Amino acid sequence: MEINSLSSLDAAVLAKMFLNGAKNLESKKEWINELNVFPVPDGDTGTNMTMTIMSAAKEVSALKEPDMASIAKAMSSGSLRGARGNSGVILSQLFRGFTKVIAKETQVTVPILAAAIQKAVETAYKAVMKPKEGTILTVARGAADKAAELAEETDNLVYFIDEVVKEAELVLKKTPEMLPVLKQAGVVDSGGQGLVVILQGAYDALLGREIDYDIQAEPQSAVRKITKETEAEIKFGYCTEFIIVLNQPLAEGQERRYKSFLESIGDSIVVVADDEIVKTHVHTNDPGLAIQEALAHGSLSKIKIDNMREEHQERLIKDAEKIAASQAAQATQEEAPPMPHKDVGFIAVSAGEGLSEVFKGLGADYMIEGGQTMNPSTEDILNAVNKVNADHIFVLPNNKNIILAADQAAALCENKQVQVIPTKTIPQGITAMINFIPEQSVQDNTARMLEEIKNVKTGQVTYAVRDTVIDEKQIKQDDYMGVGDKTILAVGKELEAVALETAECMIDEDAAIVSVYYGEGVTEEDAQAVAHKIAGRHEDLEIEVQYGGQPIYYYLISVE
């Protein structure tokens, strides 16, 4: 039975709200992954945020008789250590700030909740060196501003939370106007969407809707069987996307009715409208109904319908393979004899047997399996730090989506000096290690590595998982793409041609060395052919070819 008015929340209700927010996010993580701007096969915002909040949810769920202080500690410490990816780290910082306020209370009222939301946003903004608007931070700040305004008007928590969630939804809808790349891709911000999903789940719990709060820890060693039961986890089987080219702009009431219709036939609805087009995304069991309703407003283009149950099976297999490979690599490192003590040690994140061997050859003490396809958590990095027997440890994240988690690990480490070199790509990490001089101080080496990684350009060749347009480049599903440090460099139907164009976009008059690391699905002969053609166009360059073994990315190409 739903409630209409409430003046305070006790610890038990707050715990239920948090757990249902986590459950709601977990149920929608794949949809949130699909909101990735670049159509690469490793969009993982939903996965990262889910693994972050579930780490905290397991600690909250394990509390026997929770009070506000114990819930706050479980939410904060669990999310901080479980944080993965930039979105996960920002989410953990939101929880950290939020719990600083509620930990001191026995009951949460509107003023206290408003103060906690404000503290959450302040803490998260401080954790990001260069906050970008149009992201999860903007959505959180919009909610906080609305909370502060409402705290002056009402003491009814049900009304207060409902209005805060509505404001978060409204700000989320505006994110494409704040970040042009979102508008171009026809999506809202994925991290902001994840935060809204958590808030919506928490509000459902407050209203007393029937919810299973049980949070089960799934053993990492377990490989989930693909059965009718796992397929049944997907309530709506078809991911349906299209663009409506409008006959005339939608009135506010028309847009609201259109969304309501989609909600009646499915879930995971995203509708982004302007005066000319409406980008639509819905999970449903009858795509024809969605298409029929859309045709009432205009003509359709870029229709895409995917069977999610088939994709779910494939994803389970891939996830199991990744976990098994990561565990095998970790077990091998843990079985090695204890490391002798040294002054300076290195930890590098790497995906691919060949790339890991390159780092080991340069002196890396511990490899964390991960990267584009599996971001390690803050706790994973802390565990690696504890295994390296050195006073000073350099951590090379080698991925822009792991840097915040590495920084968070460094801040949590108490017994060693941990320095994160913010390497955004594997080639930057390799360059950093090449420029380390053992005889010099940690400070001098840090300065040199930070300077040298600026001189590395990286191109990564993969394939597109959906149709889109980025920087005026038309991209079709299954096209090959060369992704540069900031944008898409090349698109085409032929892998070799895309690899060559990617390299050409990075080579300039200052270039001296081009390194080609080939991954899964590419032979050495293929890679040598690419290198030979680069050399034919640029006789003055030094060209290196090495086996990387990385998944998903056929080639990693660096230019220095």
Side-chain angles (χ1 to χ4, degrees):
M1 180 176 172
E2 295 187 4
I3 55 175
N4 296 316
S5 180
L6 198 67
S7 60
S8 65
L9 304 174
D10 61 19
V13 173
L14 190 68
K16 287 180 179 180
M17 292 173 66
F18 176 72
L19 293 177
N20 196 60
K23 279 283 192 181
N24 200 35
L25 178 64
E26 183 183 41
S27 71
K28 294 179 172 64
K29 67 180 178 182
E30 295 301 345
W31 163 52
I32 293 169
N33 284 341
E34 291 171 12
L35 297 176
N36 194 33
V37 171
F38 282 176
V40 293
D42 58 2
D44 52 7
T45 299
T47 299
N48 284 337
M49 292 183 74
T50 296
M51 295 182 81
T52 299
I53 197 171
M54 292 307 284
S55 176
K58 285 162 191 169
E59 292 196 22
V60 172
S61 186
L63 296 172
K64 301 296 184 195
E65 297 180 3
D67 57 20
M68 213 65 81
S70 62
I71 289 172
K73 182 179 180 181
M75 286 173 60
S76 180
S77 64
S79 61
L80 283 171
R81 290 181 173 273
R84 294 173 187 264
N86 292 345
S87 55
V89 172
I90 292 170
L91 183 63
S92 73
Q93 290 294 326
L94 287 169
F95 290 144
R96 183 186 178 204
F98 182 86
T99 56
K100 282 182 179 178
V101 174
I102 67 163
K104 307 167 188 175
E105 310 294 336
T106 55
Q107 295 279 325
V108 172
T109 60
V110 164
I112 292 169
L113 190 53
I117 296 171
Q118 184 62 48
K119 187 66 174 178
V121 173
E122 290 173 3
T123 305
Y125 265 90
K126 287 178 183 176
V128 180
M129 189 169 294
K130 295 180 180 179
K132 185 181 290 187
E133 295 309 323
T135 66
I136 182 175
L137 289 170
T138 310
V139 175
R141 192 182 65 206
D145 290 346
K146 187 66 174 179
E149 175 188 323
L150 289 166
E152 302 293 325
E153 303 172 3
T154 183
D155 61 359
N156 181 351
L157 277 163
V158 177
Y159 171 74
F160 173 87
I161 295 173
D162 184 28
E163 290 298 310
V164 168
V165 174
K166 286 177 181 175
E167 182 68 17
E169 293 169 344
L170 181 62
V171 176
L172 174 68
K173 185 179 177 180
K174 294 177 181 176
T175 55
E177 302 302 321
M178 302 176 201
L179 276 179
V181 69
L182 293 175
K183 187 171 185 177
Q184 197 173 39
V187 295
V188 294
D189 178 68
S190 54
Q193 182 67 72
L195 179 60
V196 166
V197 164
I198 294 168
L199 295 175
Q200 289 169 336
Y203 182 60
D204 282 344
L206 178 67
L207 295 179
R209 293 170 182 164
E210 289 298 320
I211 297 156
D212 173 17
Y213 301 111
D214 191 27
I215 304 289
Q216 296 292 335
E218 182 178 327
Q220 277 200 318
S221 59
V223 177
R224 294 182 66 187
K225 295 180 180 179
I226 299 167
T227 64
K228 291 181 180 178
E229 285 73 20
T230 57
E231 286 185 16
E233 293 175 7
I234 299 174
K235 184 178 179 182
F236 297 104
Y238 295 95
C239 174
T240 306
E241 294 181 76
F242 49 79
I243 290 175
I244 310 172
V245 181
L246 294 169
N247 295 328
Q248 58 186 21
L250 288 183
E252 185 177 339
Q254 287 179 305
E255 183 178 343
R256 187 167 58 250
R257 285 192 295 273
Y258 177 57
K259 283 184 180 178
S260 296
F261 176 80
L262 294 177
E263 288 169 353
S264 73
I265 64 167
D267 68 5
S268 299
I269 285 95
V270 176
V271 175
V272 181
D274 61 22
D275 290 344
E276 297 177 353
I277 65 169
V278 177
K279 170 84 174 183
T280 299
H281 174 287
V282 59
H283 291 176
T284 178
N285 286 325
D286 195 338
L289 291 175
I291 290 171
Q292 184 177 351
E293 180 70 14
L295 284 169
H297 301 289
S299 59
L300 303 189
S301 69
K302 297 188 177 180
I303 299 172
K304 179 172 173 280
I305 301 172
D306 291 325
N307 186 327
M308 294 193 297
R309 292 188 175 95
E310 289 180 358
E311 292 182 351
H312 183 62
Q313 290 183 347
E314 294 172 4
R315 192 174 290 114
L316 288 175
I317 293 171
K318 289 178 181 177
D319 286 348
E321 289 173 346
K322 280 188 252 179
I323 290 170
S326 177
Q327 288 177 334
Q330 186 174 340
T332 299
Q333 292 187 90
E334 290 176 354
E335 290 169 5
M339 300 178 188
H341 179 267
K342 55 197 301 190
D343 291 331
V344 177
F346 274 90
I347 295 169
V349 180
S350 172
E353 178 186 0
L355 295 174
S356 294
E357 288 303 316
V358 170
F359 279 109
K360 290 175 185 175
L362 292 171
D365 300 282
Y366 195 93
M367 304 302 304
I368 300 176
E369 290 292 320
Q372 290 296 113
T373 56
M374 184 70 78
N375 294 153
S377 68
T378 295
E379 189 162 32
D380 290 335
I381 299 169
L382 276 172
N383 289 339
V385 168
N386 290 333
K387 288 181 172 66
V388 176
N389 189 10
D391 299 323
H392 300 272
I393 297 173
F394 287 106
V395 177
L396 305 174
N398 300 331
N399 185 301
K400 64 183 180 181
N401 207 32
I402 301 174
I403 293 172
L404 283 181
D407 286 340
Q408 194 151 278
L412 291 172
C413 187
E414 298 177 350
N415 58 343
K416 297 178 182 179
Q417 295 296 316
V418 178
Q419 177 66 55
V420 177
I421 303 297
T423 50
K424 296 179 180 179
T425 64
I426 290 285
Q428 282 191 347
I430 291 171
T431 294
M433 291 206 69
I434 288 172
N435 282 278
F436 175 74
I437 300 175
E439 295 78 19
Q440 295 192 2
S441 69
V442 169
Q443 292 75 15
D444 287 344
N445 273 299
T446 299
R448 182 183 307 100
M449 287 188 280
L450 290 173
E451 190 61 34
E452 290 298 329
I453 64 175
K454 295 177 184 177
N455 301 321
V456 182
K457 299 176 185 177
T458 304
Q460 304 178 84
V461 181
T462 184
Y463 62 92
V465 295
R466 57 179 165 81
D467 295 355
T468 190
V469 178
I470 296 179
D471 291 340
E472 300 182 356
K473 288 184 172 65
Q474 291 282 345
I475 301 169
K476 298 294 184 183
Q477 185 176 352
D478 297 326
D479 279 354
Y480 295 108
M481 298 185 303
V483 183
D485 292 320
K486 294 182 179 178
T487 188
I488 304 290
L489 301 177
V491 179
K493 303 295 183 184
E494 300 295 329
L495 178 57
E496 183 180 278
V498 170
L500 288 170
E501 186 180 347
T502 300
E504 286 297 319
C505 288
M506 296 188 292
I507 294 170
D508 57 21
E509 59 184 14
D510 297 323
I513 301 171
V514 176
S515 299
V516 179
Y517 302 91
Y518 61 97
E520 292 177 356
V522 177
T523 66
E524 184 177 0
E525 290 74 21
D526 293 334
Q528 291 289 356
V530 169
H532 180 72
K533 290 185 178 180
I534 295 173
R537 299 176 183 179
H538 304 277
E539 296 180 358
D540 56 333
L541 292 181
E542 180 182 342
I543 315 292
E544 299 178 348
V545 175
Q546 295 199 57
Y547 171 62
Q550 67 274 5
I552 294 181
Y553 289 83
Y554 302 105
Y555 293 105
L556 299 181
I557 302 172
S558 71
V559 176
E560 300 176 60

PDB file of all heavy atoms in Angstrom, residues 179-198:
ATOM      1  N   LEU A 179      25.961  18.734 -23.884  1.00  0.00           N
ATOM      2  CA  LEU A 179      27.100  18.056 -24.511  1.00  0.00           C
ATOM      3  C   LEU A 179      26.728  17.735 -25.958  1.00  0.00           C
ATOM      4  O   LEU A 179      25.941  16.818 -26.205  1.00  0.00           O
ATOM      5  CB  LEU A 179      27.447  16.765 -23.756  1.00  0.00           C
ATOM      6  CG  LEU A 179      28.351  16.874 -22.535  1.00  0.00           C
ATOM      7  CD1 LEU A 179      28.559  15.497 -21.917  1.00  0.00           C
ATOM      8  CD2 LEU A 179      29.694  17.487 -22.887  1.00  0.00           C
ATOM      9  N   PRO A 180      27.274  18.458 -26.910  1.00  0.00           N
ATOM     10  CA  PRO A 180      26.933  18.224 -28.320  1.00  0.00           C
ATOM     11  C   PRO A 180      27.111  16.779 -28.765  1.00  0.00           C
ATOM     12  O   PRO A 180      26.344  16.287 -29.590  1.00  0.00           O
ATOM     13  CB  PRO A 180      27.899  19.155 -29.066  1.00  0.00           C
ATOM     14  CG  PRO A 180      28.194  20.246 -28.094  1.00  0.00           C
ATOM     15  CD  PRO A 180      28.205  19.589 -26.747  1.00  0.00           C
ATOM     16  N   VAL A 181      28.119  16.091 -28.198  1.00  0.00           N
ATOM     17  CA  VAL A 181      28.355  14.712 -28.618  1.00  0.00           C
ATOM     18  C   VAL A 181      27.181  13.810 -28.234  1.00  0.00           C
ATOM     19  O   VAL A 181      26.870  12.844 -28.931  1.00  0.00           O
ATOM     20  CB  VAL A 181      29.681  14.186 -28.015  1.00  0.00           C
ATOM     21  CG1 VAL A 181      29.577  14.004 -26.506  1.00  0.00           C
ATOM     22  CG2 VAL A 181      30.111  12.880 -28.684  1.00  0.00           C
ATOM     23  N   LEU A 182      26.481  14.138 -27.140  1.00  0.00           N
ATOM     24  CA  LEU A 182      25.288  13.384 -26.759  1.00  0.00           C
ATOM     25  C   LEU A 182      24.152  13.639 -27.751  1.00  0.00           C
ATOM     26  O   LEU A 182      23.465  12.706 -28.180  1.00  0.00           O
ATOM     27  CB  LEU A 182      24.828  13.765 -25.346  1.00  0.00           C
ATOM     28  CG  LEU A 182      25.722  13.385 -24.173  1.00  0.00           C
ATOM     29  CD1 LEU A 182      25.136  13.955 -22.877  1.00  0.00           C
ATOM     30  CD2 LEU A 182      25.866  11.883 -24.061  1.00  0.00           C
ATOM     31  N   LYS A 183      23.979  14.898 -28.124  1.00  0.00           N
ATOM     32  CA  LYS A 183      22.915  15.246 -29.067  1.00  0.00           C
ATOM     33  C   LYS A 183      23.160  14.591 -30.415  1.00  0.00           C
ATOM     34  O   LYS A 183      22.233  14.081 -31.061  1.00  0.00           O
ATOM     35  CB  LYS A 183      22.827  16.758 -29.205  1.00  0.00           C
ATOM     36  CG  LYS A 183      21.633  17.205 -30.044  1.00  0.00           C
ATOM     37  CD  LYS A 183      21.444  18.713 -29.984  1.00  0.00           C
ATOM     38  CE  LYS A 183      20.177  19.129 -30.714  1.00  0.00           C
ATOM     39  NZ  LYS A 183      19.945  20.581 -30.614  1.00  0.00           N
ATOM     40  N   GLN A 184      24.413  14.603 -30.843  1.00  0.00           N
ATOM     41  CA  GLN A 184      24.763  14.015 -32.130  1.00  0.00           C
ATOM     42  C   GLN A 184      24.483  12.516 -32.151  1.00  0.00           C
ATOM     43  O   GLN A 184      24.007  11.972 -33.140  1.00  0.00           O
ATOM     44  CB  GLN A 184      26.248  14.281 -32.417  1.00  0.00           C
ATOM     45  CG  GLN A 184      26.633  14.079 -33.865  1.00  0.00           C
ATOM     46  CD  GLN A 184      28.060  14.511 -34.119  1.00  0.00           C
ATOM     47  OE1 GLN A 184      28.940  14.292 -33.306  1.00  0.00           O
ATOM     48  NE2 GLN A 184      28.303  15.130 -35.263  1.00  0.00           N
ATOM     49  N   ALA A 185      24.764  11.855 -31.012  1.00  0.00           N
ATOM     50  CA  ALA A 185      24.547  10.415 -30.929  1.00  0.00           C
ATOM     51  C   ALA A 185      23.095  10.068 -30.620  1.00  0.00           C
ATOM     52  O   ALA A 185      22.699   8.905 -30.707  1.00  0.00           O
ATOM     53  CB  ALA A 185      25.457   9.810 -29.852  1.00  0.00           C
ATOM     54  N   GLY A 186      22.298  11.080 -30.246  1.00  0.00           N
ATOM     55  CA  GLY A 186      20.887  10.838 -29.952  1.00  0.00           C
ATOM     56  C   GLY A 186      20.656  10.111 -28.643  1.00  0.00           C
ATOM     57  O   GLY A 186      19.725   9.312 -28.530  1.00  0.00           O
ATOM     58  N   VAL A 187      21.498  10.387 -27.632  1.00  0.00           N
ATOM     59  CA  VAL A 187      21.356   9.715 -26.333  1.00  0.00           C
ATOM     60  C   VAL A 187      21.463  10.732 -25.209  1.00  0.00           C
ATOM     61  O   VAL A 187      22.018  11.814 -25.387  1.00  0.00           O
ATOM     62  CB  VAL A 187      22.440   8.619 -26.126  1.00  0.00           C
ATOM     63  CG1 VAL A 187      22.275   7.499 -27.127  1.00  0.00           C
ATOM     64  CG2 VAL A 187      23.856   9.216 -26.202  1.00  0.00           C
ATOM     65  N   VAL A 188      20.924  10.369 -24.038  1.00  0.00           N
ATOM     66  CA  VAL A 188      21.177  11.141 -22.821  1.00  0.00           C
ATOM     67  C   VAL A 188      22.451  10.599 -22.180  1.00  0.00           C
ATOM     68  O   VAL A 188      22.962   9.552 -22.571  1.00  0.00           O
ATOM     69  CB  VAL A 188      19.996  11.046 -21.834  1.00  0.00           C
ATOM     70  CG1 VAL A 188      18.769  11.712 -22.424  1.00  0.00           C
ATOM     71  CG2 VAL A 188      19.702   9.601 -21.456  1.00  0.00           C
ATOM     72  N   ASP A 189      22.966  11.314 -21.176  1.00  0.00           N
ATOM     73  CA  ASP A 189      24.186  10.851 -20.518  1.00  0.00           C
ATOM     74  C   ASP A 189      23.945   9.546 -19.776  1.00  0.00           C
ATOM     75  O   ASP A 189      22.990   9.440 -18.992  1.00  0.00           O
ATOM     76  CB  ASP A 189      24.689  11.914 -19.536  1.00  0.00           C
ATOM     77  CG  ASP A 189      25.930  11.453 -18.792  1.00  0.00           C
ATOM     78  OD1 ASP A 189      26.974  11.319 -19.447  1.00  0.00           O
ATOM     79  OD2 ASP A 189      25.826  11.196 -17.582  1.00  0.00           O
ATOM     80  N   SER A 190      24.798   8.568 -20.007  1.00  0.00           N
ATOM     81  CA  SER A 190      24.585   7.240 -19.421  1.00  0.00           C
ATOM     82  C   SER A 190      24.770   7.237 -17.905  1.00  0.00           C
ATOM     83  O   SER A 190      24.011   6.588 -17.184  1.00  0.00           O
ATOM     84  CB  SER A 190      25.526   6.220 -20.070  1.00  0.00           C
ATOM     85  OG  SER A 190      26.881   6.643 -19.987  1.00  0.00           O
ATOM     86  N   GLY A 191      25.755   7.974 -17.401  1.00  0.00           N
ATOM     87  CA  GLY A 191      25.945   8.043 -15.955  1.00  0.00           C
ATOM     88  C   GLY A 191      24.786   8.744 -15.265  1.00  0.00           C
ATOM     89  O   GLY A 191      24.317   8.315 -14.204  1.00  0.00           O
ATOM     90  N   GLY A 192      24.308   9.821 -15.882  1.00  0.00           N
ATOM     91  CA  GLY A 192      23.142  10.515 -15.340  1.00  0.00           C
ATOM     92  C   GLY A 192      21.914   9.623 -15.338  1.00  0.00           C
ATOM     93  O   GLY A 192      21.122   9.632 -14.392  1.00  0.00           O
ATOM     94  N   GLN A 193      21.755   8.823 -16.402  1.00  0.00           N
ATOM     95  CA  GLN A 193      20.637   7.889 -16.456  1.00  0.00           C
ATOM     96  C   GLN A 193      20.744   6.860 -15.335  1.00  0.00           C
ATOM     97  O   GLN A 193      19.743   6.494 -14.709  1.00  0.00           O
ATOM     98  CB  GLN A 193      20.607   7.174 -17.807  1.00  0.00           C
ATOM     99  CG  GLN A 193      19.447   6.219 -17.976  1.00  0.00           C
ATOM    100  CD  GLN A 193      18.107   6.924 -18.032  1.00  0.00           C
ATOM    101  OE1 GLN A 193      17.779   7.579 -19.019  1.00  0.00           O
ATOM    102  NE2 GLN A 193      17.316   6.802 -16.980  1.00  0.00           N
ATOM    103  N   GLY A 194      21.962   6.386 -15.061  1.00  0.00           N
ATOM    104  CA  GLY A 194      22.162   5.429 -13.978  1.00  0.00           C
ATOM    105  C   GLY A 194      21.753   6.000 -12.633  1.00  0.00           C
ATOM    106  O   GLY A 194      21.100   5.330 -11.822  1.00  0.00           O
ATOM    107  N   LEU A 195      22.111   7.261 -12.390  1.00  0.00           N
ATOM    108  CA  LEU A 195      21.741   7.913 -11.134  1.00  0.00           C
ATOM    109  C   LEU A 195      20.223   8.053 -11.021  1.00  0.00           C
ATOM    110  O   LEU A 195      19.641   7.797  -9.957  1.00  0.00           O
ATOM    111  CB  LEU A 195      22.404   9.285 -11.046  1.00  0.00           C
ATOM    112  CG  LEU A 195      22.095  10.098  -9.782  1.00  0.00           C
ATOM    113  CD1 LEU A 195      22.538   9.362  -8.525  1.00  0.00           C
ATOM    114  CD2 LEU A 195      22.743  11.479  -9.850  1.00  0.00           C
ATOM    115  N   VAL A 196      19.559   8.433 -12.108  1.00  0.00           N
ATOM    116  CA  VAL A 196      18.098   8.567 -12.091  1.00  0.00           C
ATOM    117  C   VAL A 196      17.443   7.219 -11.798  1.00  0.00           C
ATOM    118  O   VAL A 196      16.472   7.142 -11.024  1.00  0.00           O
ATOM    119  CB  VAL A 196      17.593   9.139 -13.441  1.00  0.00           C
ATOM    120  CG1 VAL A 196      16.081   8.971 -13.571  1.00  0.00           C
ATOM    121  CG2 VAL A 196      17.960  10.618 -13.547  1.00  0.00           C
ATOM    122  N   VAL A 197      17.961   6.149 -12.375  1.00  0.00           N
ATOM    123  CA  VAL A 197      17.411   4.810 -12.129  1.00  0.00           C
ATOM    124  C   VAL A 197      17.523   4.441 -10.646  1.00  0.00           C
ATOM    125  O   VAL A 197      16.599   3.866 -10.065  1.00  0.00           O
ATOM    126  CB  VAL A 197      18.135   3.775 -13.016  1.00  0.00           C
ATOM    127  CG1 VAL A 197      17.879   2.351 -12.532  1.00  0.00           C
ATOM    128  CG2 VAL A 197      17.685   3.920 -14.468  1.00  0.00           C
ATOM    129  N   ILE A 198      18.648   4.787 -10.011  1.00  0.00           N
ATOM    130  CA  ILE A 198      18.813   4.524  -8.576  1.00  0.00           C
ATOM    131  C   ILE A 198      17.773   5.301  -7.770  1.00  0.00           C
ATOM    132  O   ILE A 198      17.122   4.756  -6.873  1.00  0.00           O
ATOM    133  CB  ILE A 198      20.235   4.907  -8.119  1.00  0.00           C
ATOM    134  CG1 ILE A 198      21.281   3.987  -8.765  1.00  0.00           C
ATOM    135  CG2 ILE A 198      20.354   4.825  -6.587  1.00  0.00           C
ATOM    136  CD1 ILE A 198      22.713   4.473  -8.590  1.00  0.00           C
TER     137      ILE A 198
END
